[in-house]
């Protein structure tokens, strides 16, 4: 048996009045996901353990079968790994967003989904100005990494997409009496002076785009200690994702990271390319993890129409392609399909609710559709911890 896990980031949602009290999953036309639900068995999976944050990193760890309580150290080190940046045992690694600040508030946690090349220029300016503080490593679009060598993790940080309410100063690193927090907060605030008048930003403003005028540090952690998938579960795996944090998880769990041309982490991602890469990988791997970010982006944007379109694209151009390709494979393939977490349009951020899932390839129940309400009545009931992975491996 081989295994493929298909993750639609942030797919799950709440019923919306404008959709006649349906969720986007219920309103969207998703025949392929429904086919998987009809052929398999459904349930709910608590991807975010109690007292942990509803981050994609934590949720995807759970799906891969690594209990976040035991393995999670922070988002920064996962992204650094995916970028090929060496992280030593005593290093503290932060996610560093390039954001848009306006009137003392965060206007946009993604600086208008700034291009990687523009962001790299801005980050270079920041690295020059703050070379005495730490090291910057450019990533994709607004997502970068900042490393303090030889530092312990005693700080509390806030993701920029959760710091949209009120003044920036309220959401800076804590505790306030920590000299390290004070130093890094000063850097973040001063980064506005370094970046605001950078030619890249002057051009962006002229073009009506949000400038990348501030750095935001969050998601810090030290290097996680994870045993490879092969050791823990006896399977060899590969990851298909455009998102650094997912690739980082793949690297720490000893999976092969497959690069797909045109995989962007956004609405224009190469769905068909990802499906093909996943099917190809199944020929010599036991387990393939396919992750699509676009649906989460539409959810954060609060854009119902775009979320439904992203769900339908995902269903037709990725899930459908994979279903079509399965008969060409020699072994039986079990499919796991789920979001990592819910990102309801109405709140525009991740929530901790258990997510709907389906596993096709073994057990079967009466569920006919893939959505939040149908999964609640599924045969698996409520899973948590490493139970989804164990259920997938013994479907
Ligand atoms: Zn996510």
């Amino acid at each position: 048996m081989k295994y493929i896990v298909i993750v639609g980031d942030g797919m799950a949602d709440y019923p919306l009045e404008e959709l006649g009290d349906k969720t986007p999953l219920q309103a969207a036309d998703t025949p392929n996901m429904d086919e998987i639900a009809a052929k398999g068995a459904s349930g709910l999976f608590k991807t975010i353990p109690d007292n942990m944050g509803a981050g994609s990193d934590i949720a995807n760890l759970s799906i891969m079968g690594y209990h976040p309580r035991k393995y999670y150290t922070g988002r920064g080190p996962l992204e650094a790994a995916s970028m090929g940046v060496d992280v030593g045992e005593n290093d503290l690694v932060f996610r560093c967003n390039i954001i848009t600040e306006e009137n003392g508030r965060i206007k946009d946690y993604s600086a208008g989904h700034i291009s990687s090349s523009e962001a790299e220029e801005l980050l270079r300016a920041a690295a020059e100005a703050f070379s005495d503080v730490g090291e910057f490593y450019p990533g994709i679009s607004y997502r970068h990494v900042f490393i303090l060598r030889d530092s312990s993790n005693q700080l509390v940080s806030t993701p920029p997409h959760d710091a949209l309410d009120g003044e920036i100063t309220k959401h800076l690193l804590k505790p306030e009496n920590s000299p390290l927090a004070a130093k890094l907060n000063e850097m973040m605030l001063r980064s506005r002076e370094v970046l605001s008048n950078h030619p890249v930003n002057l051009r962006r403003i002229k073009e009506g785009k949000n400038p990348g005028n501030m750095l935001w540090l969050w998601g810090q952690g030290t290097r996680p200690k994870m045993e490879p998938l092969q050791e823990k579960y006896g399977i060899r795996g590969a990851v298909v994702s455009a998102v650094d944090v997912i690739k980082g998880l793949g690297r720490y769990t000893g999976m092969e990271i497959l690069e797909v041309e045109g995989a962007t982490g956004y609405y224009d991602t190469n769905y068909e390319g990802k499906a093909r890469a996943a099917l190809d990988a199944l020929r010599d791997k036991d387990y393939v993890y396919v992750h699509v970010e676009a649906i989460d982006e539409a959810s954060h944007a609060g854009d119902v129409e775009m979320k439904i379109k992203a769900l339908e694209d995902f269903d037709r151009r990725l899930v459908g392609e994979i279903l079509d390709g399965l008969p060409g494979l020699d072994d039986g393939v079990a499919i796991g399909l789920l979001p990592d977490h819910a990102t309801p349009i109405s709140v525009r951020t991740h929530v901790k609710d258990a997510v709907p899932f389906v596993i096709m390839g073994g057990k079967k129940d009466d569920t006919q559709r893939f959505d939040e309400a149908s999964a609640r009545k599924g045969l698996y009931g409520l899973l948590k911890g490493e139970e989804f992975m164990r259920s997938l491996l013994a479907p």
Side-chain angles (χ1 to χ4, degrees), residues 11-17 19-31 33-34 304 307-308 311-312 356 367 369-377:
M11 273 199 289
D13 210 303
Y14 299 147
L16 288 165
E17 217 179 289
L19 297 177
D21 286 327
K22 287 181 176 173
T23 67
L25 258 180
Q26 290 171 323
D29 181 30
T30 56
M33 292 199 268
D34 293 342
V304 188
K307 183 160 188 174
I308 288 175
L311 285 167
E312 294 181 346
T367 310
R369 286 193 46 108
F370 181 69
D371 62 47
E372 300 83 351
S374 305
R376 199 166 300 137
K377 296 179 226 136

Side-chain angles (χ1 to χ4, degrees), residues 9-10 55-57 59-60 291 293 296 340-341 343 350:
D9 203 302
S56 287
D57 43 9
N60 283 279
H291 168 269
E293 172 79 0
D296 193 52
D340 48 354
H341 50 75
T343 309
H350 305 172

Side-chain angles (χ1 to χ4, degrees), residues 29-69:
D29 181 30
T30 56
N32 297 295
M33 292 199 268
D34 293 342
E35 181 183 331
I36 293 176
K39 288 183 175 166
S42 297
L44 295 178
F45 180 29
K46 194 170 156 56
T47 52
I48 311 290
D50 291 332
N51 305 319
M52 293 190 86
S56 287
D57 43 9
I58 289 174
N60 283 279
L61 260 180
S62 291
I63 299 172
M64 288 177 185
Y66 292 80
H67 199 308
R69 187 106 51 216

Side-chain angles (χ1 to χ4, degrees), residues 77-87 137-138 145 147 149 244 247-248 251-252 257:
L78 300 176
E79 302 205 6
S82 86
M83 289 158 56
V85 178
D86 275 331
V87 178
Y137 294 90
V145 159
I147 301 186
R149 303 293 180 187
D244 283 340
K247 293 185 193 174
R251 209 148 270 158
Y252 282 126
I257 315 298

Side-chain angles (χ1 to χ4, degrees), residues 10 53 57 98 111 143 156-157 166 186 191 215 252 308 315 334 344 383:
D57 43 9
I98 291 183
R143 314 175 187 103
V156 178
S157 62
E186 195 202 315
S191 67
L215 304 174
Y252 282 126
I308 288 175
D315 182 80
L383 302 187

Side-chain angles (χ1 to χ4, degrees), residues 141-155:
S141 182
Y142 59 91
R143 314 175 187 103
H144 312 279
V145 159
F146 174 77
I147 301 186
L148 290 174
R149 303 293 180 187
D150 290 312
S151 181
S152 61
N153 183 15
Q154 290 149 351
L155 303 179

